[in-house]
Amino acid sequence: MDLSLTARAEGGRTVIEVAGEIDVYTAPKLREKIAALVEEGVYDLVIDLERVEFLDSTGLGVLVGGLKRVRTHDGSLSLVCTQERLLKIFRITGLTKVFDIHPDVASAI
């Protein structure tokens, strides 16, 4: 399965809607999108994972890298996720302490 990315401005932040699988093959596409936004001066991101069907360690690495990238510009990166199978990955890896994880885009903004 491929990865679909859509970015839009909302409430002073940029929301990246992600759909599909974030794995070793598709994660570079997400990394490039985050890098391009930061280069454009966008430092406050919300990544909507509601339509993500699979997330592996490469995908987690891209999210952590994105967080580090925006923080160097005093920015923020929040996640939107209600899927238990993805939330379990964040809990097991301890990333619930690193990321602000919200139930919907409105609360993330």
Side-chain angles (χ1 to χ4, degrees), residues 85-100:
R85 69 183 185 282
L86 296 183
L87 291 170
K88 186 176 181 181
I89 294 168
F90 288 109
R91 281 195 294 273
I92 289 170
T93 56
L95 290 175
T96 52
K97 295 177 180 74
V98 175
F99 288 105
D100 289 328

Side-chain angles (χ1 to χ4, degrees), residues 39-95:
E39 285 177 24
E40 292 170 16
V42 177
Y43 308 129
D44 292 307
L45 302 176
V46 175
I47 300 185
D48 185 349
L49 301 174
E50 284 302 284
R51 294 175 45 216
V52 170
E53 295 163 20
F54 178 79
L55 176 68
D56 73 1
S57 60
T58 309
L60 289 175
V62 167
L63 294 174
V64 171
L67 179 63
K68 289 179 180 177
R69 194 178 291 245
V70 297
R71 280 190 175 166
T72 61
H73 299 280
D74 293 324
S76 64
L77 189 149
S78 300
L79 304 177
V80 174
C81 183
T82 58
Q83 297 180 55
E84 189 53 40
R85 69 183 185 282
L86 296 183
L87 291 170
K88 186 176 181 181
I89 294 168
F90 288 109
R91 281 195 294 273
I92 289 170
T93 56
L95 290 175

